[in-house]
Amino acid sequence: MAYTEGCLICGAEITYQEEPEEKTCTICGKKELSQAGCSQGHFVCSDCHRGEHLKTIINFCQNTDWQNPVDIFDYLTQVPGFPLHGPEHHALTAASLIAAYQNITGQKNPKAIRDAVVRAKQLVGGSCGLWGACSAALGAGIAFSIIFGNTPLSRERWGDANRATGKILEKIGAIGGPRCCKRTSYLSLINGAKILEQLTGIRFPLTAPKCMFSRRNKECLKEKCPFYPG
């Protein structure tokens, strides 16, 4: 796949229909219900869109010693072929936050990172507009749940994880659309780290990111985005 913006097949604009319909993946031939598609008729299923990126995310996050989740995120989004937008960002947000937390606390657990990516793989692309809940924030929610060891039967930490995800969604919603997977991931990582600091007492070496992708994003909010480099 030669393109990282728009359609992964030809680079053309991605369009959205009002109603989902069954489409056939141009790459693997699998059929999938979707409202998204290329203006030239191509369609790439969620699995093919993620490609090998999930394996790269797992491997790097299991082995890095970096403590700033934004640094981890930025590094992996610059891997050749990593898409400008797409569902791989949901897994990357979850894994980056967990990896940084583990490195600060010294509680390394490779399985937790793998589990986070497996859970985040269930989050669909376009959820920010189609579900009314950006899956970058839900990726952070996955990180909270894994860090706290939550299940549906948990008590106090069950509430902490849900409140944390809600606060992140508030931050994302306050800026408004259209979607930008880098902007919403940054907001999820920064606010997720701050909430973890409040709940656990640890400190992340956070830095304010300056977006490296604004020139590639046709829908960039520019000065309305807190990460726009100017």
Side-chain angles (χ1 to χ4, degrees):
M1 293 179 288
Y3 296 89
T4 56
E5 295 119 50
C7 173
L8 299 189
I9 303 296
C10 69
E13 182 182 1
I14 298 297
T15 59
Y16 292 88
Q17 307 162 200
E18 289 188 8
E19 299 293 334
E21 66 178 43
E22 187 175 74
K23 300 184 179 182
T24 302
C25 178
T26 305
I27 297 173
C28 71
K30 182 175 71 177
K31 295 185 183 299
E32 185 176 286
L33 277 176
S34 179
Q35 290 175 246
C38 163
S39 59
Q40 299 302 309
H42 301 120
F43 173 70
V44 178
C45 72
S46 296
D47 286 338
C48 287
H49 200 291
R50 297 183 186 101
E52 295 295 307
H53 297 302
L54 297 189
K55 293 181 182 178
T56 303
I57 291 169
I58 292 171
N59 183 60
F60 184 82
C61 289
Q62 286 178 336
N63 291 284
T64 184
D65 59 359
W66 294 357
Q67 297 182 353
N68 183 349
V70 174
D71 288 345
I72 297 172
F73 177 88
D74 275 343
Y75 179 83
L76 287 167
T77 54
Q78 295 178 76
V79 169
F82 198 94
L84 181 64
H85 302 295
E88 45 282 304
H89 290 79
H90 312 152
L92 178 53
T93 299
S96 297
L97 195 55
I98 291 176
Y101 177 86
Q102 289 185 355
N103 292 334
I104 292 172
T105 61
Q107 301 172 357
K108 299 286 280 188
N109 181 0
K111 182 178 181 298
I113 291 169
R114 186 174 65 252
D115 289 350
V117 170
V118 170
R119 294 186 194 184
K121 189 177 177 180
Q122 301 175 64
L123 300 171
V124 301
S127 63
C128 54
L130 302 175
W131 291 1
C134 175
S135 284
L138 300 180
I142 288 172
F144 290 124
S145 294
I146 288 177
I147 288 169
F148 296 151
N150 280 354
T151 74
L153 300 180
S154 299
R155 294 182 180 272
E156 288 78 12
R157 289 306 195 188
W158 185 98
D160 287 338
N162 279 272
R163 283 192 296 270
T165 305
K167 290 176 181 177
I168 294 171
L169 285 169
E170 285 278 359
K171 296 290 186 180
I172 290 172
I175 294 177
R179 64 89 174 90
C180 169
C181 288
K182 302 302 189 290
R183 181 184 73 237
T184 56
S185 295
Y186 283 145
L187 289 168
S188 299
L189 289 170
I190 292 169
N191 289 286
K194 290 178 178 179
I195 293 169
L196 277 173
E197 288 179 346
Q198 296 168 0
L199 293 174
T200 67
I202 69 169
R203 288 292 178 266
F204 289 88
L206 290 173
T207 53
K210 290 188 176 181
C211 181
M212 301 173 285
F213 306 94
S214 57
R215 291 185 180 181
R216 293 169 51 193
N217 184 6
K218 296 177 182 178
E219 294 87 31
C220 178
L221 294 177
K222 299 189 183 301
E223 288 81 4
K224 293 182 180 179
C225 174
F227 312 113
Y228 183 62

